[in-house]
Amino acid sequence: MKFKLLISIILVFSGLASAQTQNIELDNRLDWFKKAKLGIFIHWGYYGVNGVTESWSMYHKKISYQDYMQQGEKFTANKYNPEEWAELFKKIGAQYVVMTTKHHDGVALWDTKLSHLNMIEKTPAKRDLVAPYAKALRKNGLKVGLYYSLCDWSHPDYDVVFPRPNTKKDYPQKGQKKMDSWERFVLFYQGQLKELSSQFNPDLYWFDGDWEKSEEQWHSKALKDSLLSWNPNVIVNSRLNQYGDYKTPEQGVPVVRPEGPWEFCMTMNDNWGYYPSDTNYKPASQIIRTFVEVISKGGNLLLNIGPKPDGTIATEQKELLETLGDWINKHRSAVFETTAGLPYGHFYGPTLTSKDRKKIYLCLFDDPKNYIQLTGIQNKVAGIKVLGSNEELAFTRNGGAAWNNIPVILRINIPKDENLNKYVSIIEVSLEDELKLYRGHGNAVELND
Ligand code: GLC
């Protein structure tokens, strides 16, 4: 009996210890990601030639498989300058980039040996597009993210819902004839990931399409283990069933702050790929507000662009990136030296707090009226200024009963018109010591002054 008890105690403790090492290890891997704030998503592929939806246009039978693939003949990449891309991304404050190395359509952008359906063999581009991308990012100090679709609507062993000719000739499968078709597919896709891992040593994998199969079918756990054994520092988004390292909501900012590390990805118009007839671009004001909202909730924004088939970035997209970048560069301390802001109830709008918890940044989406109000801050305030202009703002502590733990209101004078930012103004509140918040429900003043 005693022996059994001892064994179970040992098991519990060794389990705890290994969970702890795993957590520490995960924290280390995620360290850069948690501070990144801005990433650029790139959807680049055949679909930009006709301006159709990436892969999904086939799925929804808007275009036949043959016509979709024929777009490859006009995918030139003849003005592709990844160095220029990387410099632009760096200039605007992005810390990482994620590019589609293979979307659901199955077209590989790198020199894969596992299918002929790649940019080298099928397009006039005739070259590996991932290698120079990874090189340019690294040269500019940006982290390298690779998007990879688990589902593959071209592979002959992958079942699809739309008519498709036999694609076997594009997939060399020597010695695999006797295998079960799904086993063959798993071997194929894990082989492609091995190629990507060994050739580009990615910092991040961005999987997609896991919902088409179960984790047992993908062998997700084994894949995650392999990815880590190939690149011990790699991080993985949440689309590898339950084996992701961070959450990946898309297109609508979560209303409730997600727990743990997360990233929000969003298109600039309504499409991921280049789609010239889609002119429904979000205004710069919306993109900047979204960015602020996301970082105030502790996440990163992964903002998408869809380069043209020649490798250039459409003017509208470039301008939006630059406007966001100008705003970020004017507000760098609020963006990069902060973590998520205050919980609900202290300020009507997004906030950020400095890493040392001695500064609060109030983000004004609208021009303020009468005064700016901050509630329930127990600290003495050292000073308040507008980021950008450095205008000092006068303030008064009012109401409450600090001696009885009843919160006061901080009434802050509004900035001069010329010091308000066109998009989002940031007010920096410096505290005398580490932030102490009042989070109570109120009570009677039992001892008056
Ligand atoms: C969706 C779409 C896919 C796109 C991805 C980006 O999952 O299926 O086309 O690449 O979002 O988040």
Side-chain angles (χ1 to χ4, degrees):
M1 188 64 201
K2 263 192 187 162
F3 179 71
K4 269 195 181 160
L5 189 68
L6 188 67
I7 293 290
S8 45
I9 290 174
I10 291 173
L11 283 179
V12 167
F13 279 100
S14 58
L16 281 180
S18 85
Q20 239 164 26
T21 5
Q22 265 178 16
N23 282 340
I24 294 170
E25 198 249 330
L26 180 65
D27 280 351
N28 283 342
R29 279 193 288 127
L30 280 168
D31 191 49
W32 68 265
F33 179 85
K34 288 198 244 160
K35 301 178 197 147
K37 313 289 172 116
L38 181 66
I40 305 296
F41 211 176
I42 304 177
H43 276 72
W44 196 27
Y46 281 13
Y47 32 91
V49 171
N50 290 358
V52 292
T53 313
E54 74 296 336
S55 309
W56 290 101
S57 48
M58 281 193 286
Y59 183 98
H60 294 298
K61 305 188 187 82
K62 301 236 165 73
I63 183 170
S64 68
Y65 181 87
Q66 291 88 333
D67 288 349
Y68 184 97
M69 289 302 162
Q70 218 173 23
Q71 296 178 95
E73 291 167 16
K74 293 195 180 139
F75 191 95
T76 64
N78 60 356
K79 293 187 185 147
Y80 175 39
N81 187 344
E83 190 65 39
E84 219 171 80
W85 286 8
E87 281 163 17
L88 170 67
F89 304 152
K90 186 181 175 184
K91 185 181 88 181
I92 68 163
Q95 308 293 311
Y96 68 108
V97 187
V98 180
M99 182 164 81
T100 47
T101 61
K102 189 195 81 171
H103 204 262
H104 314 328
D105 57 19
V107 182
L109 272 71
W110 80 101
D111 188 8
T112 179
K113 299 293 175 241
L114 298 173
S115 93
H116 299 301
L117 192 53
N118 62 59
M119 293 294 182
I120 299 95
E121 293 175 77
K122 295 279 189 220
T123 74
K126 284 194 172 24
R127 57 183 170 134
D128 183 326
L129 302 174
V130 181
Y133 152 86
K135 190 168 165 217
L137 295 187
R138 291 238 155 78
K139 191 171 157 209
N140 284 279
L142 298 164
K143 297 281 183 193
V144 177
L146 306 181
Y147 167 108
Y148 182 87
S149 170
L150 295 169
C151 56
D152 186 318
W153 300 340
S154 278
H155 195 283
D157 293 314
Y158 197 94
D159 44 324
V160 289
V161 298
F162 53 86
R164 186 186 64 188
N166 191 332
T167 56
K168 273 196 172 137
K169 62 176 183 340
D170 275 334
Y171 294 82
Q173 299 183 324
K174 265 200 193 130
Q176 297 175 11
K177 266 209 174 118
K178 288 202 180 119
M179 285 173 83
D180 164 84
S181 65
W182 184 252
E183 272 175 25
R184 224 168 17 226
F185 181 75
V186 171
L187 195 68
F188 160 78
Y189 100 81
Q190 298 201 347
Q192 283 204 321
L193 286 166
K194 176 122 203 232
E195 287 183 343
L196 289 171
S197 297
S198 58
Q199 290 173 34
F200 309 117
N201 188 21
D203 299 294
L204 182 154
Y205 267 117
W206 213 102
F207 289 115
D208 203 11
D210 62 342
W211 52 81
E212 290 207 344
K213 306 281 171 197
S214 67
E215 63 173 271
E216 288 77 25
Q217 285 169 303
W218 294 124
H219 298 277
S220 308
K221 164 92 175 73
L223 176 66
K224 178 75 181 293
D225 292 344
S226 303
L227 295 175
L228 282 170
S229 72
W230 297 326
N231 309 107
N233 287 317
V234 79
I235 60 169
V236 173
N237 75 330
S238 60
R239 298 191 190 172
L240 182 59
N241 309 104
Q242 51 160 314
Y243 297 100
D245 297 322
Y246 67 87
K247 300 198 178 85
T248 325
E250 70 179 89
Q251 296 292 42
V253 182
V255 173
V256 176
R257 192 185 284 182
E259 272 174 36
W262 64 284
E263 165 204 81
F264 169 68
C265 59
M266 182 179 83
T267 51
M268 287 182 170
N269 50 4
D270 295 325
N271 280 280
W272 297 99
Y274 180 58
Y275 201 117
S277 64
D278 175 1
T279 53
N280 192 25
Y281 280 98
K282 296 168 179 70
S285 50
Q286 187 180 343
I287 290 181
I288 295 171
R289 281 187 187 208
T290 302
F291 175 65
V292 171
E293 221 186 317
V294 167
I295 64 172
S296 79
K297 289 177 174 160
N300 295 335
L301 172 65
L302 184 65
L303 183 60
N304 183 73
I305 58 166
K308 297 181 189 177
D310 68 3
T312 54
I313 302 174
T315 319
E316 297 92 327
Q317 303 188 10
K318 206 164 163 209
E319 279 173 7
L320 285 172
L321 289 181
E322 277 170 342
T323 312
L324 171 64
D326 286 346
W327 186 90
I328 290 178
N329 285 325
K330 280 194 192 107
H331 300 95
R332 289 191 78 86
S333 53
V335 172
F336 293 113
E337 284 156 40
T338 54
T339 55
L342 307 175
Y344 298 112
H346 297 274
F347 178 70
Y348 290 101
T351 59
L352 294 145
T353 47
S354 63
K355 288 179 191 153
D356 65 2
R357 311 277 295 162
K358 287 187 176 168
K359 283 186 182 131
I360 306 169
Y361 294 91
L362 311 177
C363 312
L364 308 181
F365 279 3
D366 302 301
D367 290 349
K369 247 206 289 206
N370 304 318
Y371 60 89
I372 299 164
Q373 176 174 316
L374 183 60
T375 309
I377 307 299
Q378 309 278 56
N379 313 68
K380 286 200 176 136
V381 173
I384 301 182
K385 66 176 188 182
V386 186
L387 277 200
S389 67
N390 283 340
E391 178 189 349
E392 302 271 350
L393 302 179
F395 56 90
T396 337
R397 285 163 72 85
N398 187 263
W403 65 90
N404 218 171
N405 193 29
I406 290 183
V408 296
I409 275 174
L410 199 61
R411 243 174 30 215
I412 307 169
N413 280 10
I414 60 177
K416 291 187 193 132
D417 273 358
E418 67 262 33
N419 294 335
L420 288 168
N421 186 273
K422 186 172 165 197
Y423 298 110
V424 178
S425 308
I426 306 267
I427 311 296
E428 181 187 86
V429 179
S430 299
L431 309 173
E432 288 199 348
D433 43 15
E434 232 178 87
L435 175 65
K436 288 191 276 304
L437 286 178
Y438 171 83
R439 296 296 294 161
H441 299 271
N443 52 277
V445 181
E446 291 174 7
L447 175 70
N448 230 327
D449 235 4

